[in-house]
Amino acid sequence: MINTDEKREEIVNTLDGLIAILEDGKLGYTNAAEHVENTAMKTDFTQYARERALFIVELQDEINKLGKSTDTSGGGALGAIHRAWIDIKSSFTSGDTEAIVNACITGEEAAIEKYEMALKKEELEQSQIAVISKQLNSIKAILMKLNLNS
């Protein structure tokens, strides 16, 4: 059995990892919005970036409830292995809508994988599970929408 401080640290690391993924997604969608020609898609991508920013604040609130500061985000193990959004930036420069959508799909699939890994953490409290599950459902809905556009 781990002590309370270790449990808190594990939770913070998990949430920090998700925040890093969300930061990547926010940046990815901002870049996608800047490079896609279709006005409706530009609006959608901008909305997705805003949603990621809101998700970040929600997770930071959960960290703050644990008595930890969110000023310095380490990213944790989940953030370190998630670089899908960063690796696909080259797709955006061409302005190719299909390539941009496919890059977003890749990023969302990676985010879903990390969210599902986070939900398997036994240390999480019910309030954290609820926030993470809600965010995961939204990410899955966006992925379904993106798949319809590809």
Side-chain angles (χ1 to χ4, degrees):
M1 186 75 186
I2 60 174
N3 71 37
T4 307
D5 286 341
E6 289 173 348
K7 178 181 175 183
R8 185 179 311 131
E9 204 57 42
E10 183 66 30
I11 292 169
V12 170
N13 286 340
T14 298
L15 297 178
D16 274 344
L18 294 178
I19 288 170
I21 292 163
L22 292 167
E23 290 282 3
D24 287 350
K26 183 176 78 169
L27 179 65
Y29 279 125
T30 300
N31 285 333
E34 290 172 3
H35 292 94
V36 75
E37 299 292 324
N38 181 301
T39 307
M41 291 179 88
K42 189 179 291 281
T43 300
D44 284 346
F45 289 151
T46 301
Q47 178 58 38
Y48 301 157
R50 285 187 189 125
E51 183 181 62
R52 292 304 181 276
L54 175 64
F55 287 175
I56 290 165
V57 171
E58 290 175 345
L59 293 180
Q60 287 173 333
D61 285 347
E62 290 299 320
I63 292 173
N64 291 334
K65 287 178 191 174
L66 295 170
K68 294 287 187 175
S69 171
T70 54
D71 293 340
T72 56
S73 175
L78 291 178
I81 59 175
H82 176 263
R83 289 293 164 248
W85 282 109
I86 303 304
D87 295 340
I88 56 182
K89 272 206 241 176
S90 60
S91 304
F92 298 146
T93 56
S94 66
D96 176 4
T97 300
E98 184 178 351
I100 292 171
V101 170
N102 287 335
C104 291
I105 288 170
T106 300
E108 292 297 57
E109 288 171 343
I112 288 168
E113 180 183 332
K114 303 315 172 227
Y115 265 77
E116 289 174 345
M117 285 173 48
L119 284 172
K120 292 179 183 172
K121 299 279 187 177
E122 294 177 9
E123 297 84 4
L124 293 176
E125 298 169 5
Q126 278 307 119
S127 64
Q128 296 152 356
I129 292 170
V131 170
I132 293 168
S133 295
K134 176 186 71 78
Q135 291 181 0
L136 174 59
N137 288 336
S138 179
I139 293 168
K140 285 180 176 179
I142 290 170
L143 177 60
M144 284 178 46
K145 189 172 181 181
L146 289 170
N147 279 320
L148 292 175
N149 288 327
S150 66

